[in-house]
Amino acid sequence: MRLLHTMLRVGDLDASLHFYTQVLGMKLLRKQDFPTGKFTLAFVGYGEESDTAVIELTHNWETSSYELGNGYGHIALGVNDVYATCETIRAAGGKIVREAGPMMHGTTVIAFVEDPDGYKIELIGCE
């Protein structure tokens, strides 16, 4: 496994992109709109996603701001087989909160597990 990205919910995507790229010097690696889900994902980082962990900025079109504390989303881990990894985690007593399968607005296979404090960890198929 390796750390892929950390997701943050942002109220103003343009302002966030300016901050991360112009203020912090990251590169905009990719950006995609999901009209049926009414959200946009933008990935920023100092290196390519294949080499280093990055930040996923998620902009939900109908939400203009968040209270500090609920803006945190999840940590993502790349795994070879999401289904098998879920079974291994379940066998070890881990809690699966979203079973392995394609994401709702795409085809990438994902799952979510929850740590003892309730923080979510996304498993993403990287086969």
Side-chain angles (χ1 to χ4, degrees):
M1 293 187 197
R2 74 175 183 90
L3 184 64
L4 295 178
H5 64 256
T6 298
M7 184 270 261
L8 301 173
R9 291 184 178 94
V10 299
D12 182 336
L13 184 58
D14 291 334
S16 293
L17 285 172
H18 174 81
F19 176 78
Y20 285 98
T21 61
Q22 301 303 309
V23 176
L24 296 183
M26 293 182 183
K27 294 185 296 184
L28 174 60
L29 303 171
R30 62 186 168 107
K31 180 178 168 188
Q32 184 175 1
D33 292 327
F34 293 86
T36 58
K38 296 183 180 178
F39 67 94
T40 300
L41 301 181
F43 291 80
V44 295
Y46 292 110
E48 296 303 320
E49 291 179 77
S50 59
D51 300 325
T52 186
V54 299
I55 297 174
E56 172 189 329
L57 303 173
T58 298
H59 177 247
N60 294 297
W61 299 351
E62 298 177 351
T63 305
S64 61
S65 66
Y66 294 91
E67 292 180 29
L68 191 61
N70 72 354
Y72 175 80
H74 60 266
I75 296 169
L77 301 175
V79 301
N80 288 331
D81 183 331
V82 178
Y83 297 94
T85 302
C86 283
E87 291 310 311
T88 300
I89 290 169
R90 191 184 332 274
K95 181 178 180 183
I96 308 296
V97 294
R98 196 268 197 200
E99 292 295 333
M103 63 181 277
M104 185 181 297
H105 301 286
T107 58
T108 303
V109 175
I110 65 170
F112 278 87
V113 300
E114 192 174 84
D115 83 357
D117 292 302
Y119 288 104
K120 305 291 187 288
I121 295 115
E122 180 180 20
L123 306 175
I124 299 178
C126 296
E127 300 176 56

